[in-house]
Amino acid sequence: MGIILKPIDVVDDISKEDFYEKYLKPRRPVVIKNMAKKWPAYQKWTMEYMKEVVGDVEVPLYDSAKADPSAPINASAAKMKFGDYIDLIQKEPTDLRIFLFDPIKYAPKLLEDYISPKELMGGFLDKYPNMFFGGKGSVTFLHFDIDMAHIFHTHFNGRKHVLLFDYKWRERLYQIPYATYALEDYDIENPDFTQFPALDGVEGIECYLEHGDTLFMPTGWWHWMKYLDGSFSISLRAWDKSWAVKAHSLWNLTVQRKFDDLMKFNFKGKYMEWKEKMAIKRAEIALKRGLPR
């Protein structure tokens, strides 16, 4: 049977009413083709433009290596001047990525280049957009966002392959306890179902983003991304109206993260070994019980 992937819904444009009824209310992903075509960024945001406005600030880089259990969350693998990194990803494949980069700190003029889709929903965090850059072949590991926000993820200057999974599949995806990411020992593109049987039958959504495409990812959706070209994206985040979701976000960002950091500091590798064993155990139990129903 394998992992069951369905193509994502794709629309050119969408009204507020249709967006709410078909995607926001039921929390279903969708790709909106024309949203970013109305932004100045659609024409302006080339690699050379980003180099020009951001400059040679030193940025942290992340690779595809398995997370060090003793390192703080989101610890970088290396650092490089931004301009040199842009040159690198235009020239050759690399697994190095820029993750959760805040360009406005260095180039506030970028605020003028995009428009939050407030015509579709409210709750946007206008001052805190994140940008992500990756070389051809680089991969963002399977995870969901810790703050549980809705995300409008717009891609530029290349292609990106995305796999999405509803939050209800978290145990079958081998979620690491006290974390928002999955066990890193399997390849979601080509999993070994003998070693990781809980993945067999998991249902997801697949999409390919091109320049200017905007992916709406509802709160809690797991996502895995692979850069098919050296390229970059911006994520505009919006809060869900549900107080339960807000409480979940607060728990993740405070209690869960602090507890996890404390355990990492005190127990390091032993703690990570326990977490990985628990991820496997929970996945096996979920599979036996036929979850999610």
Side-chain angles (χ1 to χ4, degrees):
M1 182 163 48
I3 293 177
I4 303 165
L5 295 174
K6 297 180 180 179
I8 197 166
D9 287 0
V10 178
V11 299
D12 289 329
D13 298 286
I14 191 166
S15 68
K16 180 177 182 178
E17 293 73 24
D18 282 349
F19 177 74
Y20 177 79
E21 289 296 331
K22 295 179 180 179
Y23 302 106
L24 182 58
K25 183 179 178 180
R27 294 179 179 167
R28 291 177 54 211
V30 62
V31 169
I32 306 171
K33 299 290 288 186
N34 290 340
M35 178 183 291
K37 290 182 179 178
K38 305 164 189 172
W39 302 356
Y42 185 75
Q43 300 291 340
K44 292 171 65 175
W45 282 14
T46 64
M47 294 291 195
E48 291 306 313
Y49 180 75
M50 298 306 293
K51 282 175 61 177
E52 176 187 334
V53 297
V54 176
D56 271 336
V57 60
E58 191 173 66
V59 293
L61 302 176
Y62 301 84
D63 60 19
S64 301
K66 186 174 179 177
D68 180 353
S70 63
I73 191 169
N74 295 336
S76 62
K79 292 184 178 181
M80 185 182 292
K81 287 184 177 181
F82 180 77
D84 292 339
Y85 175 75
I86 295 298
D87 289 340
L88 173 65
I89 65 173
Q90 290 186 94
K91 182 175 64 175
E92 61 190 45
T94 175
D95 71 341
L96 294 174
R97 296 174 292 114
I98 297 178
F99 174 67
L100 291 178
F101 179 51
D102 180 5
I104 292 173
K105 180 178 179 182
Y106 309 99
K109 64 188 298 184
L110 292 173
L111 279 169
E112 303 169 5
D113 294 341
Y114 66 88
I115 305 166
S116 295
K118 295 179 181 178
E119 75 279 6
L120 296 182
M121 65 175 294
F124 280 92
L125 304 172
D126 291 331
K127 296 181 180 178
Y128 304 101
N130 292 310
M131 294 193 73
F132 306 83
F133 295 74
K136 181 179 180 179
S138 62
V139 170
T140 303
F141 58 84
L142 183 62
H143 70 287
F144 66 94
D145 284 22
I146 192 169
D147 63 359
M148 304 295 290
H150 297 295
I151 302 168
F152 289 83
H153 186 81
T154 303
H155 198 60
F156 294 90
N157 286 272
R159 299 166 299 143
K160 182 183 276 188
H161 181 200
V162 184
L163 301 181
L164 300 157
F165 302 93
D166 194 302
Y167 185 74
K168 68 183 181 180
W169 291 99
R170 60 193 180 279
E171 291 175 335
R172 293 276 297 273
L173 292 170
Y174 295 84
Q175 179 184 356
I176 296 292
Y178 305 109
T180 60
Y181 58 92
L183 190 69
E184 296 178 72
D185 295 334
Y186 66 83
D187 177 5
I188 193 66
E189 275 192 298
N190 186 30
D192 182 341
F193 297 111
T194 301
Q195 188 175 1
F196 303 102
L199 295 172
D200 197 9
V202 167
E203 299 173 7
I205 293 175
E206 183 174 37
C207 73
Y208 291 87
L209 299 179
E210 299 179 342
H211 178 78
D213 288 349
T214 299
L215 166 64
F216 169 68
M217 288 187 290
T219 173
W221 273 73
W222 288 75
H223 43 284
W224 170 95
M225 298 183 175
K226 184 175 185 178
Y227 291 82
L228 302 181
D229 305 290
S231 48
F232 61 91
S233 307
I234 186 170
S235 283
L236 306 181
R237 314 172 80 78
W239 292 121
D240 190 86
K241 290 184 177 180
S242 164
W243 284 105
V245 172
K246 289 183 173 72
H248 193 170
S249 170
L250 185 62
W251 172 270
N252 288 347
L253 290 165
T254 56
V255 178
Q256 177 174 283
R257 174 173 278 185
K258 288 183 178 179
F259 173 80
D260 195 50
D261 287 344
L262 179 65
M263 294 295 286
K264 282 181 180 179
F265 179 79
N266 287 316
F267 300 104
K268 298 181 173 63
K270 289 184 179 180
Y271 175 56
M272 195 63 197
E273 288 176 10
W274 174 82
K275 293 211 296 181
E276 291 183 347
K277 289 178 181 178
M278 284 301 299
I280 293 170
K281 183 178 180 179
R282 290 177 179 179
E284 291 173 348
I285 291 172
L287 179 62
K288 288 178 182 177
R289 294 176 62 188
L291 299 176
R293 294 191 177 94

